[in-house]
């Protein structure tokens, strides 16, 4: 091989090497950028999922607070109604407060049916059932048509027993939120 050919071959290989080096560098930079973008996308997706989970927990917490408050208020108003029945003087104002508390509890219970997990819903159903039964007894006593065994004494026992399911519901709610073991 002549020196001219060797020089041309060396020059050609130098040019090809320089071009190949630039291409490899660009390819490597593109791969790094792609991995960086994929990582950023994955991180954004994880942050959105975390935020969605946090919002769901906050929605359940708000629902739990409202349901617990409504149940306790309904039971308090039922107790006031019972005390007025025991005294023989239930007023329209007391009846209206009971109805208002009942409507609020029903609304919060209906909201919970769409949001809360089954263990909480089971506990909420028990509370709703007890409060509804006590409400029915008090209304029948007030209207003068109680069923057999429905007395103000039995209603008072029902009122006292109604606190336990509310406490159970609260415990199940706290457990769902990770507050109680």
């Amino acid at each position: 091989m002549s020196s001219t050919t060797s020089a041309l071959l060396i020059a050609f290989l130098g040019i090809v090497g320089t071009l190949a080096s630039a291409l490899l560098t660009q390819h490597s930079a593109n791969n790094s950028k792609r991995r960086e973008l994929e990582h950023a996308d994955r991180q954004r997706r994880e942050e959105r999922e975390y935020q969605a989970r946090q919002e769901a927990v906050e929605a359940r917490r708000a629902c739990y607070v409202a349901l617990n408050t409504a149940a306790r208020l309904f039971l308090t108003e039922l107790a006031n109604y019972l005390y007025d029945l025991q005294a023989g003087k239930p007023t329209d104002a007391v009846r209206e407060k009971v109805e208002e508390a009942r409507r609020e509890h029903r609304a919060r219970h209906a909201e919970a049916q769409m949001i809360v997990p089954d263990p909480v819903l089971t506990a909420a159903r028990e509370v709703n059932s007890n409060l509804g039964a006590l409400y029915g007894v008090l209304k029948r006593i007030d209207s003068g048509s109680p069923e057999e065994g429905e007395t103000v004494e039995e209603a008072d026992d029902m009122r006292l027993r109604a606190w336990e399911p509310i406490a159970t519901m609260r415990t199940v709610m706290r457990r769902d939120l990770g507050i109680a073991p």
Side-chain angles (χ1 to χ4, degrees), residues 89-156:
K89 56 175 175 109
T91 64
D92 287 339
V94 169
R95 289 181 187 106
E96 181 52 38
K97 282 185 173 185
V98 168
E99 289 304 319
E100 194 175 299
R102 178 174 175 260
R103 282 190 300 274
E104 180 64 18
H105 179 259
R106 288 173 58 95
R108 298 299 66 85
H109 189 263
E111 177 186 6
Q113 290 175 327
M114 300 296 118
I115 296 175
V116 306
D118 287 342
V120 176
L121 192 55
T122 299
R125 257 190 234 113
E126 181 70 20
V127 169
N128 190 51
S129 176
N130 284 316
L131 295 176
L134 177 55
Y135 172 79
V137 168
L138 293 175
K139 290 298 280 187
R140 286 188 292 277
I141 291 171
D142 189 17
S143 70
S145 58
E147 294 178 359
E148 187 175 326
E150 292 183 339
T151 63
V152 289
E153 292 78 18
E154 175 57 27
D156 196 33

Side-chain angles (χ1 to χ4, degrees), residues 44-113:
R44 277 191 303 276
R45 221 176 14 256
E46 289 171 359
E47 286 174 5
R48 280 192 304 269
E49 289 170 2
Y50 174 77
Q51 185 64 31
R53 284 191 305 272
Q54 289 304 107
E55 288 172 3
V57 167
E58 182 55 32
R60 283 197 327 270
R61 189 195 69 73
C63 180
Y64 293 167
V65 168
L67 181 59
N68 186 54
T69 301
R72 294 173 63 87
L73 179 61
F74 187 23
L75 184 53
T76 298
E77 293 302 335
L78 287 170
N80 291 339
Y81 191 24
L82 172 64
Y83 299 146
D84 277 8
L85 285 171
Q86 287 172 328
K89 56 175 175 109
T91 64
D92 287 339
V94 169
R95 289 181 187 106
E96 181 52 38
K97 282 185 173 185
V98 168
E99 289 304 319
E100 194 175 299
R102 178 174 175 260
R103 282 190 300 274
E104 180 64 18
H105 179 259
R106 288 173 58 95
R108 298 299 66 85
H109 189 263
E111 177 186 6
Q113 290 175 327

